[in-house]
Amino acid sequence: MVDHHRQWPITDDLATLRDDIQRFAGQAGLAGARLDDLVIAANEAAINVLEHGGGAGTLAMSTDGAVLAVEVADEVGTLSPAAVPGRRPTGRSVRGFGLWLMGELCDSVTIEQVPGRSTIRLSMNLDTGHLDTGGPAAGAGAAPVRGNVRPI
């Protein structure tokens, strides 16, 4: 039976957090390259909290049976949709790869900013029968960031 909602604090123990994400997403029905993509994207979001979001936050996962969502919230609120690069950052770029990568790996990415809190929501459709599940290199979930990351 799938637990439909879980939440964990974001700490510097990212290995345990990745295990928790993988376990929850696997139980919800995500597998293979799409599961790997979600773990990578959620890890990037958690790293952003540690590096830019005051070092404290939460990662919550939920599913309604059709969509698996990961919400990563910080306690500073400086992440805004304007921080998302419009296209793939160059090799010389210092910032923006994580947000760009999240948009490439997930079916949907949204950012909500309110005073004192930023939340990034990563979503993956669980019904992938119509999608190529070979990962972003094969086209699954790969879309321009501006079309994939949006404010809510």
Side-chain angles (χ1 to χ4, degrees):
M1 173 174 237
V2 175
D3 181 5
H4 295 286
H5 182 80
R6 290 290 313 268
Q7 182 171 311
W8 302 274
I10 295 172
T11 69
D12 61 356
D13 185 2
L14 293 174
T16 297
L17 186 61
R18 287 189 300 267
D19 287 344
D20 292 335
I21 294 164
Q22 186 168 7
R23 187 177 316 102
F24 184 95
Q27 290 173 348
L30 208 57
R34 289 181 53 79
L35 175 58
D36 295 341
D37 290 348
L38 181 68
V39 172
I40 292 167
N43 184 70
E44 286 292 327
I47 289 170
N48 280 351
V49 168
L50 295 174
E51 291 183 358
H52 311 292
T58 57
L59 186 143
M61 296 183 72
S62 61
T63 183
D64 63 6
V67 175
L68 178 63
V70 178
E71 292 189 354
V72 178
D74 67 40
E75 298 177 0
V76 174
T78 58
L79 178 63
S80 73
V84 178
R87 60 184 179 271
R88 183 181 182 272
T90 67
R92 296 178 188 258
S93 297
V94 176
R95 306 240 73 64
F97 274 101
L99 291 170
W100 174 80
L101 186 62
M102 288 177 231
E104 290 294 305
L105 296 176
C106 296
D107 294 330
S108 168
V109 179
T110 57
I111 297 172
E112 178 182 21
Q113 182 183 32
V114 297
R117 186 176 189 89
S118 293
T119 303
I120 188 161
R121 185 173 202 257
L122 314 170
S123 299
M124 296 292 269
N125 297 321
L126 294 173
D127 176 18
T128 59
H130 64 284
L131 294 174
D132 176 359
T133 58
V145 163
R146 285 289 179 212
N148 221 21
V149 179
R150 65 186 188 286
I152 56 173

